[in-house]
Every structure is written in C-alpha cells, then in structure tokens.
Amino acid sequence: QTVDLQAPRRRASMVEVLIETNGPPMSGVIRIPGSPASNFDTGRGKTVVDLINASANGAAPQITSVEVRFTRTMPGQSFLVIPLGYKD
C-alpha cells in the first residue's frame, strides 16, 4: 500500500517516520519507493523507523510517499505514517 506523506516534498538521503496504530501490535516492512525496505513492529502502538532514500543514479529523489506491507494485523486496525524529520 502506498501512503502519501503529508509534508513538503524534499530531497534527502533519509527520512525518519513514526508509524502509529490502534489495537494490537502490527508488523511489516516499509520503504521509500525504489529503496531498501525496513522491518517494523509497532509494539504498544508506536515505532520510529529511519528510511534510506536510494537511487540508481546516486541522486536522492524527492520523498513524497512510502510503501507499507503488513505481515501481522487484526481486522479493523488502522495506522498512520507521520514524517518526523529529514537528514541530508
């Protein structure tokens, strides 16, 4: 599932995101499109993940969205992905 980030578009080598869920823990993988994925587990409802912005030509493209694939969920759960900061 692709999630558009509600922040100004920015070129950066890394973005730190907060994943927040309701209900039981959720786990899965998250990535910036075209970059390596990172595993996550929300534990008690929140986790922070640093995502690397990789590109084949070496120039970091603008970060506009992330891709999330859940491996553990319960029916009726929802989630938010919130960008906390960018690193060059």
Side-chain angles (χ1 to χ4, degrees):
Q1 177 175 2
T2 299
V3 178
D4 291 329
L5 297 179
Q6 300 299 317
R9 295 176 181 205
R10 180 162 173 203
R11 291 187 194 280
S13 60
M14 185 181 299
V15 63
E16 182 178 58
V17 296
L18 170 70
I19 304 169
E20 187 172 10
T21 62
N22 67 350
M26 295 172 80
S27 60
V29 293
I30 185 169
R31 72 179 189 150
I32 296 168
S35 298
S38 294
N39 295 323
F40 71 87
D41 188 322
T42 61
R44 293 190 171 151
K46 296 181 183 179
T47 191
V48 175
V49 181
D50 288 331
L51 300 175
I52 296 170
N53 188 12
S55 176
N57 64 10
Q62 286 188 341
I63 301 170
T64 60
S65 64
V66 294
E67 297 173 341
V68 182
R69 179 172 303 265
F70 291 101
T71 57
R72 182 180 62 192
T73 63
M74 297 290 289
Q77 283 186 285
S78 61
F79 70 97
L80 293 172
V81 177
I82 304 164
L84 298 177
Y86 296 88
K87 300 175 185 174
D88 293 321

